[in-house]
Structure formats: C-alpha cells, structure tokens
Amino acid sequence: MQSNAVLATLQPNYDILSPSRFYSSSASAAATFLPVFYPQRTRFSAPQYLKLDKQVLPSASGRYVHEVKSPFKNAAVLSDSYSSEASELADIEWDNLGFGLLPTDYMYMMKCSQGGNFSKGELQRFGNIELNPSAGVLNYGQGLFEGLKAYRKEDGNILLFRPEENALRMRQGAERMCMPAPTVDQFVEAVKETVLANKRWVPPPGKGSLYIRPLLMGSGAVLGLAPAPEYTFLIYVSPVGNYFKEGVAPINLIVEHELHRATPGGTGGVKTIGNYAAVLKAQSAAKAKGYSDVLYLDCVHKKYLEEVSSCNIFVVKGNVISTPAIKGTILPGITRKSIIDVARSQGFQVEERFVPVDELLDADEVFCTGTAVVVSPVGSITYKGKRVPYGVDGFGAVAQQLYSVLTRLQMGLIDDKMNWTVELS
C-alpha cells in the first residue's frame, strides 16, 4: 500500500505522550510508515509517523482504516489508498434527491483569532461542533455563509463553478461584519479538499449536485456587544436535487408589500445569517396559502422589485431582460452575475436598474436565479390580490435558453469559454 498523506482520527482530550514513533499491534513484513498530521490540540506541528501493517476494513469515506498502537483511545489512520469497491458512489436513491441535508463523510475546519490570519485548516469527520453559549454567532448573529455546487462529469471528474467568486463575496461580507476571512486561495483550496474527501457523495451526471456550504462565524465567547475574539471557518457538503418541490416546473410567487427583507445601509447586500431568518415569517405565511415563495419590494418606495427570499429576480420583455440593480439591499448573486453574462453573450439586452412592480403586469416571462435554484421559471405572481400568469407550461423560451447554456457549462457538457469552472480529478 502506498500513500503520501493520511489523517488521524482521535478522541478529544488526549495528548501525545512521547515523540517516538508508534507501532501497530502486530508485526508484519509488509508494514509501511505513513505520515500522520495530528489535530492542532496536540503538541506536534510537524508530521509524525505510524507503522501500519494490518488492513481492517474500508471506511465509509472509501479509505482504508488501520488499527494502530498509540496513546490515544480508538485511534485510526485513514490512508489515501482506495479499493475499487470503496470508491463507488454512496448507496442512496439518487433519483429521489430533494434539497435537504444528507450527512456526508467529512467537513473542513479552520480557526483564527480577532486581528489574526487564518492558518492551515483540517478535515474532520462530519458531526456536531462545540460552541460556548456566549459565542458571538449565537448571541449577536456574527456569521456569514456561502453556497456553491460541484457537478460530476461523464468521465467521473468533478467541476466546481466559480469558487473564487464565493471567496471574494465572503471577504466582502466579512469586512461588513467585522470578521477576519480566509484568503481567496485558502477558501478555494479548502473547498477542493472537502469535495474530494466527499467525492462519493457527488451525484452521478444529471442526478443532482453536491451542495457546498462554507460558514464563517464568531465562535469565541463575548458577553458585551463586540466582535468575537475567535472565528471559525467551516465547510460541509450534501448531495441535493431541486430546491423547489415543483422541480423545474414554474413556481408561484406572492409580492410582499408590508414586511421587508432589507433596508438601505443595512446588511441586505452581504450573505449574513440574519438576512434569512428575517424572511421566514412572510415565507411561511405564503407557503401556507399555497405559494412557492415571496417576492420583496424596496422598503422606501414600496414599489421597486428587490429579490425573492433566497434568489434574484429577472423580468423579460421582448429582447430586454431587466433585473434590480445591486444597491446595497440586494445580494450580488453569483448565478445572477453569470446569467447576465450568458444572456449578453446570447444577444439579449440586459438592464440592471430599478424595476417597478407594475412591469410584472405585462412581462413576457419572469424567472429567478440562485445557486440552489440555478434558474427557476415563474408561473405566476400575485400582487394585491391580482394573479398574473406567465406562459402555459414549463420554462419560457428565454429562461429555457439561459438555463440550458448555464447548466451545460456547469456540468462540462460544452466548452467553458468563460473560464468559470474548476476541474477536480
């Protein structure tokens, strides 16, 4: 067996008793020394070595697990050598994926103190995390999240879609929320590492995608209102299907003109966690009435479109596609940005401007965009009791065209002339 990197999985609250090499429980001529990087709670910063000799079983991640003799209880070493069986896809019903959490094998974690810089993080088995009750994220909402996807190609390789854009957006949000943030390179490398560690959970081509959720939060304890003294950057993943229960069928929206998602000068333009809790009341009421989601108006004039609870909105009239301008209350969506570029490359005129709600009344099509939904056609919008339908069935022609180009690019089915995808093997 050969390997150039392994990870020790250890119970907490134990420490290394000796800097000597540790040996496996039985001798074997086939024993191999492998480097092991211990968690930061131990005293070693350089790789230590374990002598391995006995294969026990393939782990859930597809990596071989070996028993070792060490000062740790239940210590195990996960090697990068894969068996043909262990590298297969996870045993789940890929045809029935919804948009919900399916626990996978690994998550990534990296920490930093206030005023410091993030250093090398590590993969950990997916599971619960420990937070002080006085953590900044729990008491004052000092937290951000991102969302991006990985797709499996026909050749088995995996594509990420514009991960550096998510890294930049997180850094912009962190500045607004008084938080340190990983560098773009740290963010992208952490995403790559997490996806590859959970490779068996990336759905087969055409069956869905691996949703990637990076989190940045004030994990340090703070009682008075102030930035937290410590921060945690964490990434977990889950295979997903369609976001809306309708799938790619048209969704039905209701315009909310009393409750508002964001205010000028607030945090509506960054992906902070509090933005999403604020929409739950209106969204829950809308769903109870049979609507798919809520479309919000600006809070000053109460007549200009802003966005749906978790996605951006586009209005089509002839060859012109209009979308609300980014002005501090609307999230600068990465799918939104990509659709604008794709639309212009397809010959459409795209306008980023104030879009009055009245323009919905005579629009040819309306659609939403977002990482989770990609492109979702809107079948109807209800405003002050009046329902405005769009089309008769399925995608409108413009939404269908843009959806097809973007998703084929994301899945590696057409040449990426935009240089938006990052391939992992």
Side-chain angles (χ1 to χ4, degrees), residues 259-277:
L259 300 177
H260 298 282
R261 177 189 167 274
T263 60
T267 58
V270 298
K271 207 167 176 66
T272 182
I273 58 178
N275 289 351
Y276 295 84

Side-chain angles (χ1 to χ4, degrees), residues 244 246-247 249-253 292-293 308 311 368 376-381:
F244 290 113
E246 294 89 344
I251 60 172
N252 299 295
L253 303 177
S292 308
D293 213 328
V308 182
C311 45
C368 301
S376 184
V378 175
S380 73
I381 294 179

Side-chain angles (χ1 to χ4, degrees), residues 330-352:
I330 297 171
L331 188 73
I334 295 163
T335 308
R336 172 190 181 277
K337 180 178 182 179
S338 304
I339 281 291
I340 288 172
D341 289 342
V342 167
R344 286 172 174 159
S345 74
Q346 298 289 305
F348 292 98
Q349 178 183 336
V350 180
E351 297 179 351
E352 299 178 72

Side-chain angles (χ1 to χ4, degrees), residues 5-177:
V6 295
L7 173 70
T9 304
L10 310 167
Q11 283 194 348
N13 303 321
Y14 285 84
D15 205 349
I16 294 177
L17 303 181
S18 166
S20 62
R21 289 176 175 174
F22 305 130
Y23 291 87
S24 57
S25 56
S26 61
S28 169
T32 305
F33 285 101
L34 297 173
V36 177
F37 296 87
Y38 285 96
Q40 294 177 354
R41 57 176 169 268
T42 66
R43 287 197 289 266
F44 291 117
S45 57
Q48 303 302 303
Y49 291 85
L50 295 177
K51 187 178 181 182
L52 310 177
D53 63 359
K54 180 183 178 184
Q55 179 186 326
V56 180
L57 56 102
S59 74
S61 67
R63 298 179 174 186
Y64 292 117
V65 178
H66 298 263
E67 289 179 337
V68 297
K69 182 180 179 181
S70 82
F72 296 89
K73 292 184 179 179
N74 301 331
V77 172
L78 307 178
S79 83
D80 281 343
S81 298
Y82 285 76
S83 69
S84 59
E85 295 82 13
S87 61
E88 292 178 355
L89 290 169
D91 185 18
I92 62 174
E93 296 185 21
W94 296 107
D95 290 326
N96 296 316
L97 282 179
F99 199 91
L101 178 67
L102 284 175
T104 53
D105 297 325
Y106 291 99
M107 60 185 184
Y108 183 95
M109 191 173 292
M110 182 163 54
K111 291 183 179 290
C112 169
S113 60
Q114 175 67 20
N117 297 311
F118 280 95
S119 57
K120 177 66 177 176
E122 64 179 9
L123 288 170
Q124 300 181 8
R125 294 293 298 188
F126 178 82
N128 295 340
I129 63 173
E130 185 176 290
L131 281 176
N132 189 294
S134 191
V137 66
L138 298 180
N139 290 260
Y140 301 116
Q142 196 183 20
L144 297 163
F145 74 92
E146 279 296 327
L148 61 158
K149 287 180 175 178
Y151 297 85
R152 189 181 296 274
K153 295 174 60 182
E154 294 289 347
D155 63 7
N157 288 348
I158 294 170
L159 289 179
L160 303 176
F161 185 70
R162 308 190 78 173
E164 72 289 343
E165 290 289 335
N166 295 90
L168 289 168
R169 187 169 65 180
M170 175 168 276
R171 290 184 62 80
Q172 293 165 358
E175 192 277 331
R176 176 66 176 84
M177 302 297 289

Side-chain angles (χ1 to χ4, degrees), residues 384-419:
K384 292 186 175 180
K386 181 178 181 180
R387 181 179 180 272
V388 182
Y390 304 100
V392 287
D393 189 28
F395 272 101
V398 175
Q400 176 66 69
Q401 181 178 342
L402 300 180
Y403 172 83
S404 177
V405 173
L406 184 63
T407 55
R408 286 170 62 81
L409 190 155
Q410 291 175 327
M411 297 177 190
L413 299 176
I414 58 175
D415 289 339
D416 179 15
K417 297 179 181 179
M418 304 285 198
N419 294 318

